Amino acid sequence: MSTEYVEKLIKDIDVKNVVNGDVEVVNNSPLEIIGKGRQGAVFRYTDDICIKVYGNTEDCEREHYAMYLGQKSNMFPLLYAAGDNYIVMEIVKGVDLREYLQSQPLTETLSYKLIELLITFKEVGFERIDHHKRQIYIQPDGSLKVIDVGRTIWRNRVYPYPRKLLNSLGKENKAKFLSHLKLLAPELYEEWEYYMKMEALSREIYQVLLKKKSNKDAVSVLSKKVLLTHDEQEQISQLENLVRKVFKEEWVKTMLAKGYNPDKVMEAIDKHWERAEKRSLNSKDDNKD
Ligand SMILES: Nc1ncnc2c1ncn2[C@@H]1O[C@H](COP(=O)(O)OP(=O)(O)OP(=O)(O)O)[C@@H](O)[C@H]1O
Ligand SMILES: [Mg+2]
């Protein structure tokens, strides 16, 4: 495989990220597109090699790093080369788990392989031990391989159990997988069950809080009636009181720091406000005349 040739081909492919959607692709290269997602588009290079072209270099770098970690195991596509916005890798053959489970049952052997896969994720150093079933492929020889590992090493939210995998299995297969797990790895089952219970409880609490919304409306009406001051004159006088209070506190602090007696200072301030008030009343009366 010539990297130079790959680079030349990539120049004729434009991949742009789209908010909440799959990437937009303008392909002027002779390569056939075999799939796309939110992060990139995948092109067939040979029968066994494909090139994933990314919408941004950060996603490419992360997936490259995750794939590099995964090379210790045979559960990841072989990594051939990478550039700023592309990765050249093995084409994963077989059927993805979503497709497979449409017609085949989730056997104990398959559950065992899935647990093995999660253990491998941890062993190679991934932070996120989880994967959607459509990113897991069953090879013709029965072994598993995963694609799209970019989000395994970085995620703003990491669940302490493989939530995505379990939920993607659907209700029936999730129950089946958990019953297999209980037999094959009881301690792990207990740990995951604990987190699932916490999650279910959190969901229930959320519903309770949501129902209390009517109370929020009531508080809003009451606060308008009782707590809010609608009279402008009243607001001004309250503001004045507040300014005086703050001024007094700050002034006392300053004078205290300078060694004055705080009681004397407070007395002096009160007298000063009194005088100022009288002056202001007199001038109001003068203006009336
Ligand atoms: N190594 C591979 N071998 C075979 N097909 C692949 C390979 N990598 C990707 N594909 C195909 O291309 C599609 C898109 O790839 P991928 O899921 O890696 O893209 P993505 O943009 O990272 O997706 P997501 O939006 O889920 O992050 C896959 O669903 C699959 O059909
Ligand atoms: Mg991805």
Side-chain angles (χ1 to χ4, degrees):
M1 192 210 62
S2 139
T3 319
E4 240 168 66
Y5 181 55
V6 170
E7 297 259 348
K8 199 169 156 277
L9 289 167
I10 299 296
K11 282 205 175 78
D12 290 331
I13 297 171
D14 190 37
V15 175
K16 272 203 178 70
N17 286 116
V18 171
V19 180
N20 291 330
D22 286 354
V23 289
E24 253 170 34
V25 183
V26 179
N27 178 19
N28 290 315
S29 80
L31 301 180
E32 175 207 351
I33 185 163
I34 57 173
K36 62 179 190 170
R38 281 163 191 243
Q39 298 181 309
V42 183
F43 300 86
R44 188 190 308 281
Y45 183 64
T46 69
D47 280 350
D48 299 305
I49 301 174
C50 63
I51 308 173
K52 183 167 174 180
V53 186
Y54 296 78
N56 69 75
T57 52
E58 209 177 47
D59 285 342
C60 179
E61 209 176 296
R62 283 187 183 135
E63 183 142 28
H64 184 206
Y65 181 60
M67 284 193 64
Y68 157 77
L69 291 178
Q71 297 304 293
K72 287 173 233 158
S73 140
N74 56 8
M75 287 181 152
F76 301 87
L78 286 169
L79 179 62
Y80 293 113
D84 282 349
N85 69 331
Y86 71 88
I87 295 177
V88 185
M89 65 178 105
E90 171 193 353
I91 290 189
V92 174
K93 306 265 169 75
V95 192
D96 73 66
L97 194 57
R98 177 173 58 179
E99 194 73 42
Y100 179 86
L101 290 174
Q102 296 277 357
S103 62
Q104 303 305 315
L106 178 63
T107 58
E108 200 178 297
T109 317
L110 184 51
S111 291
Y112 178 85
K113 287 183 185 198
L114 286 170
I115 299 166
E116 242 182 1
L117 176 75
L118 300 174
I119 293 170
T120 306
F121 273 26
K122 188 117 200 183
E123 274 174 355
V124 301
F126 288 177
E127 211 173 283
R128 182 165 163 247
I129 318 298
D130 199 4
H131 228 54
H132 195 283
K133 66 175 173 182
R134 90 185 120 76
Q135 299 155 328
I136 301 170
Y137 283 71
I138 309 178
Q139 310 287 284
D141 69 358
S143 64
L144 298 186
K145 253 192 188 146
V146 294
I147 59 158
D148 197 14
V149 289
R151 290 193 181 92
T152 53
I153 51 152
W154 177 88
R155 254 233 130 171
N156 45 6
R157 215 167 151 200
V158 180
Y159 286 97
Y161 74 95
R163 186 175 188 266
K164 198 172 200 172
L165 175 65
L166 288 175
N167 289 341
S168 75
L169 288 176
K171 210 173 166 196
E172 242 172 68
N173 277 332
K174 178 178 171 179
K176 222 183 244 179
F177 179 75
L178 287 172
S179 74
H180 293 154
L181 180 74
K182 201 172 178 176
L183 285 173
L184 298 165
E187 275 174 342
L188 197 58
Y189 171 81
E190 257 174 49
E191 190 175 307
W192 292 0
E193 204 202 17
Y194 166 77
Y195 289 123
M196 281 185 282
K197 271 189 189 148
M198 293 312 269
E199 195 186 319
L201 185 61
S202 302
R203 217 173 297 125
E204 273 171 37
I205 295 171
Y206 174 72
Q207 288 306 321
V208 171
L209 291 177
L210 208 64
K211 281 191 195 121
K212 294 251 162 93
K213 198 170 166 247
S214 51
N215 285 3
K216 186 183 150 214
D217 295 341
V219 166
S220 162
V221 171
L222 277 175
S223 73
K224 274 195 197 99
K225 257 200 231 160
V226 185
L227 295 180
L228 283 180
T229 312
H230 297 288
D231 181 352
E232 202 182 332
Q233 202 53 48
E234 171 79 352
Q235 263 172 355
I236 293 172
S237 100
Q238 284 190 2
L239 191 64
E240 203 175 327
N241 285 339
L242 190 71
V243 171
R244 281 185 192 193
K245 199 170 157 30
V246 173
F247 175 82
K248 201 167 162 180
E249 272 174 16
E250 292 306 305
W251 192 245
V252 168
K253 261 191 249 165
T254 312
M255 297 312 266
L256 199 66
K258 287 189 174 177
Y260 289 88
N261 178 342
D263 292 332
K264 287 252 164 67
V265 173
M266 275 197 269
E267 217 182 289
I269 293 173
D270 287 339
K271 274 196 183 135
H272 168 80
W273 282 126
E274 248 171 59
R275 278 199 301 274
E277 219 154 61
K278 265 187 198 152
R279 268 203 304 274
S280 126
L281 278 176
N282 287 341
S283 74
K284 267 186 204 159
D285 288 344
D286 290 349
N287 288 341
K288 270 186 204 159
D289 295 337

